mmCIF file of all heavy atoms in Angstrom:
data_model
loop_
_atom_site.group_PDB
_atom_site.id
_atom_site.type_symbol
_atom_site.label_atom_id
_atom_site.label_comp_id
_atom_site.label_asym_id
_atom_site.label_seq_id
_atom_site.Cartn_x
_atom_site.Cartn_y
_atom_site.Cartn_z
ATOM 1 N N PRO A 1 40.933 4.430 -11.749
ATOM 2 C CA PRO A 1 40.490 3.476 -12.929
ATOM 3 C C PRO A 1 40.050 2.150 -12.404
ATOM 4 O O PRO A 1 39.015 1.674 -12.913
ATOM 5 C CB PRO A 1 41.773 3.358 -13.730
ATOM 6 C CG PRO A 1 42.524 4.677 -13.373
ATOM 7 C CD PRO A 1 42.209 4.870 -11.942
ATOM 8 N N THR A 2 40.681 1.631 -11.402
ATOM 9 C CA THR A 2 40.270 0.337 -10.925
ATOM 10 C C THR A 2 38.934 0.317 -10.103
ATOM 11 O O THR A 2 38.056 -0.465 -10.397
ATOM 12 C CB THR A 2 41.388 -0.316 -9.961
ATOM 13 O OG1 THR A 2 42.564 -0.380 -10.656
ATOM 14 C CG2 THR A 2 41.011 -1.577 -9.375
ATOM 15 N N LEU A 3 38.716 1.348 -9.333
ATOM 16 C CA LEU A 3 37.572 1.594 -8.617
ATOM 17 C C LEU A 3 36.390 1.831 -9.562
ATOM 18 O O LEU A 3 35.398 1.274 -9.393
ATOM 19 C CB LEU A 3 37.681 2.779 -7.692
ATOM 20 C CG LEU A 3 38.716 2.738 -6.598
ATOM 21 C CD1 LEU A 3 38.736 3.938 -5.680
ATOM 22 C CD2 LEU A 3 38.729 1.403 -5.761
ATOM 23 N N THR A 4 36.639 2.614 -10.628
ATOM 24 C CA THR A 4 35.557 2.765 -11.505
ATOM 25 C C THR A 4 35.229 1.468 -12.305
ATOM 26 O O THR A 4 33.969 1.146 -12.490
ATOM 27 C CB THR A 4 36.095 3.790 -12.681
ATOM 28 O OG1 THR A 4 36.391 4.997 -11.989
ATOM 29 C CG2 THR A 4 34.969 4.157 -13.652
ATOM 30 N N ASN A 5 36.133 0.648 -12.569
ATOM 31 C CA ASN A 5 35.854 -0.578 -13.336
ATOM 32 C C ASN A 5 34.950 -1.525 -12.314
ATOM 33 O O ASN A 5 34.181 -2.286 -12.882
ATOM 34 C CB ASN A 5 37.111 -1.380 -13.759
ATOM 35 C CG ASN A 5 37.761 -0.691 -14.858
ATOM 36 O OD1 ASN A 5 37.132 -0.097 -15.637
ATOM 37 N ND2 ASN A 5 39.219 -0.813 -14.989
ATOM 38 N N ILE A 6 35.277 -1.508 -10.996
ATOM 39 C CA ILE A 6 34.648 -2.349 -10.136
ATOM 40 C C ILE A 6 33.147 -1.942 -10.107
ATOM 41 O O ILE A 6 32.273 -2.690 -10.167
ATOM 42 C CB ILE A 6 35.261 -2.231 -8.700
ATOM 43 C CG1 ILE A 6 36.618 -2.833 -8.684
ATOM 44 C CG2 ILE A 6 34.293 -2.831 -7.622
ATOM 45 C CD1 ILE A 6 37.385 -2.669 -7.371
ATOM 46 N N ILE A 7 32.783 -0.559 -10.007
ATOM 47 C CA ILE A 7 31.551 -0.029 -9.925
ATOM 48 C C ILE A 7 30.815 -0.374 -11.299
ATOM 49 O O ILE A 7 29.651 -0.694 -11.176
ATOM 50 C CB ILE A 7 31.587 1.371 -9.627
ATOM 51 C CG1 ILE A 7 32.084 1.603 -8.113
ATOM 52 C CG2 ILE A 7 30.119 1.929 -9.726
ATOM 53 C CD1 ILE A 7 32.219 3.034 -7.809
ATOM 54 N N ASN A 8 31.459 -0.095 -12.338
ATOM 55 C CA ASN A 8 30.831 -0.334 -13.655
ATOM 56 C C ASN A 8 30.513 -1.713 -13.902
ATOM 57 O O ASN A 8 29.501 -2.078 -14.447
ATOM 58 C CB ASN A 8 31.729 0.304 -14.779
ATOM 59 C CG ASN A 8 31.732 1.807 -14.913
ATOM 60 O OD1 ASN A 8 30.682 2.383 -14.384
ATOM 61 N ND2 ASN A 8 32.736 2.362 -15.486
ATOM 62 N N PHE A 9 31.379 -2.585 -13.455
ATOM 63 C CA PHE A 9 31.083 -4.127 -13.693
ATOM 64 C C PHE A 9 29.969 -4.459 -12.718
ATOM 65 O O PHE A 9 29.122 -5.263 -13.161
ATOM 66 C CB PHE A 9 32.320 -4.861 -13.374
ATOM 67 C CG PHE A 9 32.079 -6.245 -13.610
ATOM 68 C CD1 PHE A 9 32.084 -6.955 -14.786
ATOM 69 C CD2 PHE A 9 31.969 -7.204 -12.513
ATOM 70 C CE1 PHE A 9 31.858 -8.276 -15.012
ATOM 71 C CE2 PHE A 9 31.804 -8.607 -12.655
ATOM 72 C CZ PHE A 9 31.703 -9.171 -13.963
ATOM 73 N N SER A 10 29.791 -3.947 -11.568
ATOM 74 C CA SER A 10 28.736 -4.251 -10.616
ATOM 75 C C SER A 10 27.434 -3.884 -11.412
ATOM 76 O O SER A 10 26.477 -4.629 -11.305
ATOM 77 C CB SER A 10 28.965 -3.469 -9.386
ATOM 78 O OG SER A 10 27.835 -3.643 -8.515
ATOM 79 N N LEU A 11 27.359 -2.636 -11.946
ATOM 80 C CA LEU A 11 26.083 -2.139 -12.652
ATOM 81 C C LEU A 11 25.755 -2.995 -13.726
ATOM 82 O O LEU A 11 24.604 -3.305 -14.001
ATOM 83 C CB LEU A 11 26.274 -0.693 -12.905
ATOM 84 C CG LEU A 11 26.507 0.285 -11.622
ATOM 85 C CD1 LEU A 11 26.541 1.625 -12.143
ATOM 86 C CD2 LEU A 11 25.333 0.062 -10.587
ATOM 87 N N SER A 12 26.725 -3.272 -14.607
ATOM 88 C CA SER A 12 26.413 -3.884 -15.840
ATOM 89 C C SER A 12 26.138 -5.392 -15.755
ATOM 90 O O SER A 12 25.393 -5.983 -16.526
ATOM 91 C CB SER A 12 27.637 -3.686 -16.832
ATOM 92 O OG SER A 12 28.785 -4.426 -16.250
ATOM 93 N N SER A 13 26.613 -5.909 -14.607
ATOM 94 C CA SER A 13 26.464 -7.459 -14.444
ATOM 95 C C SER A 13 25.128 -7.605 -13.436
ATOM 96 O O SER A 13 24.645 -8.728 -13.310
ATOM 97 C CB SER A 13 27.589 -8.033 -13.683
ATOM 98 O OG SER A 13 27.849 -7.491 -12.477
ATOM 99 N N GLY A 14 24.723 -6.637 -12.820
ATOM 100 C CA GLY A 14 23.532 -6.762 -11.941
ATOM 101 C C GLY A 14 23.877 -7.390 -10.594
ATOM 102 O O GLY A 14 23.007 -8.061 -10.047
ATOM 103 N N THR A 15 25.192 -7.278 -10.169
ATOM 104 C CA THR A 15 25.567 -7.933 -9.018
ATOM 105 C C THR A 15 26.276 -6.946 -8.097
ATOM 106 O O THR A 15 27.205 -6.277 -8.470
ATOM 107 C CB THR A 15 26.573 -9.138 -9.385
ATOM 108 O OG1 THR A 15 26.006 -9.948 -10.304
ATOM 109 C CG2 THR A 15 26.968 -9.718 -8.111
ATOM 110 N N PHE A 16 25.822 -6.975 -6.893
ATOM 111 C CA PHE A 16 26.513 -6.103 -5.788
ATOM 112 C C PHE A 16 27.592 -7.112 -5.123
ATOM 113 O O PHE A 16 27.205 -8.151 -4.644
ATOM 114 C CB PHE A 16 25.426 -5.657 -4.795
ATOM 115 C CG PHE A 16 26.000 -4.736 -3.856
ATOM 116 C CD1 PHE A 16 26.353 -3.436 -4.224
ATOM 117 C CD2 PHE A 16 26.124 -4.885 -2.384
ATOM 118 C CE1 PHE A 16 26.856 -2.451 -3.354
ATOM 119 C CE2 PHE A 16 26.531 -3.950 -1.594
ATOM 120 C CZ PHE A 16 26.955 -2.717 -1.980
ATOM 121 N N PRO A 17 28.850 -6.680 -5.150
ATOM 122 C CA PRO A 17 30.007 -7.607 -4.687
ATOM 123 C C PRO A 17 29.619 -8.123 -3.313
ATOM 124 O O PRO A 17 29.202 -7.334 -2.390
ATOM 125 C CB PRO A 17 31.126 -6.715 -4.617
ATOM 126 C CG PRO A 17 30.871 -5.687 -5.724
ATOM 127 C CD PRO A 17 29.392 -5.408 -5.636
ATOM 128 N N SER A 18 29.863 -9.369 -3.102
ATOM 129 C CA SER A 18 29.539 -10.125 -1.850
ATOM 130 C C SER A 18 30.289 -9.379 -0.661
ATOM 131 O O SER A 18 29.844 -9.329 0.480
ATOM 132 C CB SER A 18 29.779 -11.531 -1.921
ATOM 133 O OG SER A 18 31.198 -11.838 -2.272
ATOM 134 N N THR A 19 31.631 -8.886 -0.951
ATOM 135 C CA THR A 19 32.337 -8.292 0.175
ATOM 136 C C THR A 19 31.841 -7.114 0.618
ATOM 137 O O THR A 19 32.102 -6.503 1.728
ATOM 138 C CB THR A 19 33.900 -8.051 -0.344
ATOM 139 O OG1 THR A 19 33.734 -7.381 -1.532
ATOM 140 C CG2 THR A 19 34.534 -9.368 -0.679
ATOM 141 N N PHE A 20 30.898 -6.384 -0.171
ATOM 142 C CA PHE A 20 30.317 -5.171 0.211
ATOM 143 C C PHE A 20 29.051 -5.364 0.914
ATOM 144 O O PHE A 20 28.301 -4.442 1.452
ATOM 145 C CB PHE A 20 29.891 -4.315 -1.136
ATOM 146 C CG PHE A 20 31.035 -3.910 -1.801
ATOM 147 C CD1 PHE A 20 30.862 -3.121 -3.097
ATOM 148 C CD2 PHE A 20 32.351 -4.030 -1.400
ATOM 149 C CE1 PHE A 20 31.897 -2.672 -3.748
ATOM 150 C CE2 PHE A 20 33.520 -3.526 -2.255
ATOM 151 C CZ PHE A 20 33.096 -2.938 -3.324
ATOM 152 N N ARG A 21 28.645 -6.708 1.056
ATOM 153 C CA ARG A 21 27.337 -6.894 1.720
ATOM 154 C C ARG A 21 27.569 -7.196 3.322
ATOM 155 O O ARG A 21 26.504 -7.775 3.909
ATOM 156 C CB ARG A 21 26.599 -8.098 1.088
ATOM 157 C CG ARG A 21 26.059 -7.594 -0.289
ATOM 158 C CD ARG A 21 25.330 -8.842 -0.941
ATOM 159 N NE ARG A 21 26.029 -9.192 -2.135
ATOM 160 C CZ ARG A 21 25.804 -10.357 -2.852
ATOM 161 N NH1 ARG A 21 24.820 -11.168 -2.358
ATOM 162 N NH2 ARG A 21 26.528 -10.661 -3.897
ATOM 163 N N SER A 22 28.694 -7.040 3.797
ATOM 164 C CA SER A 22 28.953 -7.309 5.187
ATOM 165 C C SER A 22 28.951 -6.015 5.978
ATOM 166 O O SER A 22 29.402 -4.907 5.391
ATOM 167 C CB SER A 22 30.274 -8.017 5.380
ATOM 168 O OG SER A 22 30.359 -9.235 4.803
ATOM 169 N N ALA A 23 28.513 -5.989 7.155
ATOM 170 C CA ALA A 23 28.427 -4.815 8.026
ATOM 171 C C ALA A 23 28.974 -5.242 9.432
ATOM 172 O O ALA A 23 28.769 -6.296 9.970
ATOM 173 C CB ALA A 23 27.101 -4.333 8.015
ATOM 174 N N VAL A 24 29.542 -4.087 10.071
ATOM 175 C CA VAL A 24 29.824 -4.210 11.481
ATOM 176 C C VAL A 24 29.058 -3.240 12.201
ATOM 177 O O VAL A 24 29.019 -2.031 11.950
ATOM 178 C CB VAL A 24 31.331 -3.862 11.718
ATOM 179 C CG1 VAL A 24 31.641 -3.859 13.164
ATOM 180 C CG2 VAL A 24 32.272 -4.888 11.022
ATOM 181 N N VAL A 25 28.133 -3.719 13.120
ATOM 182 C CA VAL A 25 27.122 -2.883 13.698
ATOM 183 C C VAL A 25 27.730 -2.397 15.103
ATOM 184 O O VAL A 25 28.114 -3.193 15.856
ATOM 185 C CB VAL A 25 25.837 -3.722 13.992
ATOM 186 C CG1 VAL A 25 24.851 -2.810 14.853
ATOM 187 C CG2 VAL A 25 25.221 -4.140 12.629
ATOM 188 N N LYS A 26 27.745 -1.101 15.229
ATOM 189 C CA LYS A 26 28.026 -0.471 16.531
ATOM 190 C C LYS A 26 26.991 0.230 17.122
ATOM 191 O O LYS A 26 26.484 1.269 16.572
ATOM 192 C CB LYS A 26 29.268 0.522 16.163
ATOM 193 C CG LYS A 26 30.492 -0.206 15.862
ATOM 194 C CD LYS A 26 31.695 0.829 15.751
ATOM 195 C CE LYS A 26 33.004 0.258 15.386
ATOM 196 N NZ LYS A 26 34.076 1.195 15.220
ATOM 197 N N PRO A 27 26.405 -0.397 18.236
ATOM 198 C CA PRO A 27 25.241 0.227 18.815
ATOM 199 C C PRO A 27 25.467 1.684 19.323
ATOM 200 O O PRO A 27 26.599 1.835 20.057
ATOM 201 C CB PRO A 27 24.873 -0.724 19.982
ATOM 202 C CG PRO A 27 25.542 -1.997 19.701
ATOM 203 C CD PRO A 27 26.819 -1.616 18.867
ATOM 204 N N LEU A 28 24.735 2.541 18.992
ATOM 205 C CA LEU A 28 24.949 4.009 19.480
ATOM 206 C C LEU A 28 23.669 4.477 20.227
ATOM 207 O O LEU A 28 22.628 4.244 19.874
ATOM 208 C CB LEU A 28 25.208 4.926 18.336
ATOM 209 C CG LEU A 28 26.369 4.713 17.561
ATOM 210 C CD1 LEU A 28 26.514 5.717 16.352
ATOM 211 C CD2 LEU A 28 27.678 4.789 18.296
ATOM 212 N N LEU A 29 24.010 5.113 21.315
ATOM 213 C CA LEU A 29 22.724 5.688 22.156
ATOM 214 C C LEU A 29 21.978 6.653 21.288
ATOM 215 O O LEU A 29 22.584 7.479 20.869
ATOM 216 C CB LEU A 29 23.192 6.303 23.392
ATOM 217 C CG LEU A 29 23.285 5.413 24.723
ATOM 218 C CD1 LEU A 29 23.882 6.242 25.773
ATOM 219 C CD2 LEU A 29 21.922 4.859 25.072
ATOM 220 N N LYS A 30 20.637 6.581 21.349
ATOM 221 C CA LYS A 30 19.940 7.542 20.541
ATOM 222 C C LYS A 30 19.947 8.891 21.154
ATOM 223 O O LYS A 30 20.015 9.896 20.318
ATOM 224 C CB LYS A 30 18.385 7.037 20.560
ATOM 225 C CG LYS A 30 18.226 5.723 19.852
ATOM 226 C CD LYS A 30 16.770 5.289 19.889
ATOM 227 C CE LYS A 30 16.438 3.986 19.312
ATOM 228 N NZ LYS A 30 15.055 3.557 19.427
ATOM 229 N N LYS A 31 20.107 9.054 22.508
ATOM 230 C CA LYS A 31 20.388 10.309 23.116
ATOM 231 C C LYS A 31 21.294 10.032 24.232
ATOM 232 O O LYS A 31 21.103 9.006 24.979
ATOM 233 C CB LYS A 31 19.028 10.898 23.582
ATOM 234 C CG LYS A 31 18.077 11.313 22.543
ATOM 235 C CD LYS A 31 16.868 11.970 23.175
ATOM 236 C CE LYS A 31 15.821 12.318 22.032
ATOM 237 N NZ LYS A 31 14.579 12.868 22.625
ATOM 238 N N ALA A 32 22.046 11.058 24.454
ATOM 239 C CA ALA A 32 23.147 10.839 25.648
ATOM 240 C C ALA A 32 22.399 10.858 27.050
ATOM 241 O O ALA A 32 23.092 10.174 27.886
ATOM 242 C CB ALA A 32 24.011 12.073 25.629
ATOM 243 N N SER A 33 21.260 11.364 27.201
ATOM 244 C CA SER A 33 20.592 11.261 28.462
ATOM 245 C C SER A 33 19.920 9.897 28.744
ATOM 246 O O SER A 33 19.422 9.699 29.848
ATOM 247 C CB SER A 33 19.462 12.371 28.449
ATOM 248 O OG SER A 33 18.598 12.206 27.420
ATOM 249 N N LEU A 34 19.762 9.037 27.817
ATOM 250 C CA LEU A 34 19.119 7.718 27.948
ATOM 251 C C LEU A 34 19.918 6.692 28.634
ATOM 252 O O LEU A 34 21.144 6.879 28.725
ATOM 253 C CB LEU A 34 18.744 7.163 26.503
ATOM 254 C CG LEU A 34 17.790 8.023 25.712
ATOM 255 C CD1 LEU A 34 17.567 7.248 24.362
ATOM 256 C CD2 LEU A 34 16.440 8.048 26.396
ATOM 257 N N ASP A 35 19.182 5.705 29.377
ATOM 258 C CA ASP A 35 19.863 4.761 30.147
ATOM 259 C C ASP A 35 20.618 3.694 29.220
ATOM 260 O O ASP A 35 19.967 3.086 28.426
ATOM 261 C CB ASP A 35 18.811 4.060 31.002
ATOM 262 C CG ASP A 35 19.396 2.981 31.869
ATOM 263 O OD1 ASP A 35 20.658 2.872 31.949
ATOM 264 O OD2 ASP A 35 18.545 2.157 32.410
ATOM 265 N N PRO A 36 21.934 3.605 29.260
ATOM 266 C CA PRO A 36 22.694 2.689 28.486
ATOM 267 C C PRO A 36 22.428 1.183 28.948
ATOM 268 O O PRO A 36 22.893 0.312 28.119
ATOM 269 C CB PRO A 36 24.148 3.046 28.763
ATOM 270 C CG PRO A 36 24.167 3.721 30.125
ATOM 271 C CD PRO A 36 22.755 4.418 30.213
ATOM 272 N N ASN A 37 21.807 0.928 29.957
ATOM 273 C CA ASN A 37 21.461 -0.411 30.439
ATOM 274 C C ASN A 37 20.251 -1.059 29.753
ATOM 275 O O ASN A 37 19.946 -2.222 29.783
ATOM 276 C CB ASN A 37 21.289 -0.538 31.940
ATOM 277 C CG ASN A 37 22.691 -0.157 32.719
ATOM 278 O OD1 ASN A 37 23.740 -0.706 32.291
ATOM 279 N ND2 ASN A 37 22.634 0.667 33.691
ATOM 280 N N ASN A 38 19.555 -0.165 29.126
ATOM 281 C CA ASN A 38 18.359 -0.481 28.335
ATOM 282 C C ASN A 38 18.662 -0.572 26.872
ATOM 283 O O ASN A 38 18.942 0.389 26.182
ATOM 284 C CB ASN A 38 17.224 0.464 28.577
ATOM 285 C CG ASN A 38 15.887 0.038 27.952
ATOM 286 O OD1 ASN A 38 15.856 -0.855 27.104
ATOM 287 N ND2 ASN A 38 14.747 0.649 28.295
ATOM 288 N N LEU A 39 18.666 -1.844 26.284
ATOM 289 C CA LEU A 39 19.083 -2.025 24.940
ATOM 290 C C LEU A 39 18.284 -1.282 24.026
ATOM 291 O O LEU A 39 18.661 -0.993 22.828
ATOM 292 C CB LEU A 39 19.091 -3.559 24.673
ATOM 293 C CG LEU A 39 20.053 -4.429 25.475
ATOM 294 C CD1 LEU A 39 20.080 -5.867 25.035
ATOM 295 C CD2 LEU A 39 21.482 -3.846 25.301
#
């Protein structure tokens, strides 16, 4: 019920919660065979 209220309020108010706009980026190799020293 609480999660539903959060989402519904986001949609009805036209606001995406600021805490949802943060990201932690973890670089991943595109292929295991590639050189990890090349960014």
Side-chain angles (χ1 to χ4, degrees):
T2 301
L3 302 182
T4 303
N5 287 335
I6 291 173
I7 295 175
N8 284 339
F9 182 76
S10 172
L11 298 180
S12 62
S13 65
T15 305
F16 191 64
S18 57
T19 53
F20 292 176
R21 286 178 250 169
S22 299
V24 175
V25 176
K26 293 184 177 180
L28 298 177
L29 269 178
K30 296 178 181 178
K31 293 181 181 179
S33 59
L34 295 176
D35 181 9
N37 294 316
N38 187 345
L39 296 181

